[in-house]
Amino acid sequence: MTTRKILMTLAVLVILAVAAGRFFYHEGPGSKTAPAELIGTWTTDHSGYSDRYVELRENTITFGTGGTSFVHYTILGVEKNPSVELDVYTVHFRDVGGTKFKKDIVLQPSDETFYFRNQADVIWTLFER
C-alpha cells in the first residue's frame, strides 16, 4: 500500500469517526438549562405518587422515588414546543451511565402546575422554588 492510500484511508476514518461522534453524542436540542418557570420542587396529591417529587434545577432533574430514595439526572437540553394552547417543554436528560431519556412536560403557569404528557392524570404542583 502506498503512502497516499494510507493517508486517504486515515482521512476517511477520521471523517467517519467525527460524523459518528456528532450523531451518537448529540447533547439534545434547545437550551442546555431548564427555564426559570420549571425550576423548583414539584409534588403531587395523586394517590400513586403521594410520596414522590420532581425537582428541576438549572442543570439537573431529580425524581424522588419514595421515602428517601431518588434518581438524579443531568439535563442535556430543553426545548419549548410551539403550541397555541399549551406550554410544552421537552426535557432531554441522561443518567450517570450515559443512558439518555426525555420527558414532555405540559406547564400550566397560571396555577403553577404541570403534568407529564404521558401521565395527564398526575398533576404536579410547585412546592418551592
Side-chain angles (χ1 to χ4, degrees):
M1 212 176 209
T2 67
T3 302
R4 181 181 169 122
K5 285 186 179 181
I6 292 172
L7 291 175
M8 290 297 287
T9 302
L10 286 174
V12 168
L13 289 174
V14 167
I15 290 170
L16 288 174
V18 169
R22 287 184 180 264
F23 179 76
F24 289 111
Y25 297 104
H26 179 66
E27 290 296 317
S31 172
K32 300 294 183 199
T33 60
E37 56 267 32
L38 291 180
I39 291 178
T41 302
W42 304 78
T43 59
T44 184
D45 292 333
H46 190 280
S47 61
Y49 299 89
S50 61
D51 64 341
R52 312 292 174 98
Y53 66 90
V54 177
E55 182 179 70
L56 281 133
R57 295 290 166 227
E58 196 171 278
N59 299 303
T60 61
I61 184 169
T62 303
F63 296 96
T65 55
T68 58
S69 300
F70 62 89
V71 183
H72 190 73
Y73 300 91
T74 300
I75 292 177
L76 302 173
V78 180
E79 57 188 322
K80 185 173 183 181
N81 301 325
S83 174
V84 176
E85 299 175 19
L86 301 172
D87 288 339
V88 181
Y89 296 87
T90 301
V91 180
H92 300 263
F93 51 97
R94 74 169 168 227
D95 64 13
V96 294
T99 304
K100 295 180 182 179
F101 305 92
K102 70 177 179 176
K103 283 276 193 188
D104 289 330
I105 294 175
V106 180
L107 180 66
Q108 299 172 325
S110 60
D111 57 358
E112 294 187 317
T113 63
F114 80 76
Y115 60 89
F116 294 110
R117 185 174 270 173
N118 66 331
Q119 292 179 310
D121 62 321
V122 181
I123 306 297
W124 297 89
T125 304
L126 182 63
F127 178 70
E128 70 179 2
R129 284 232 189 257

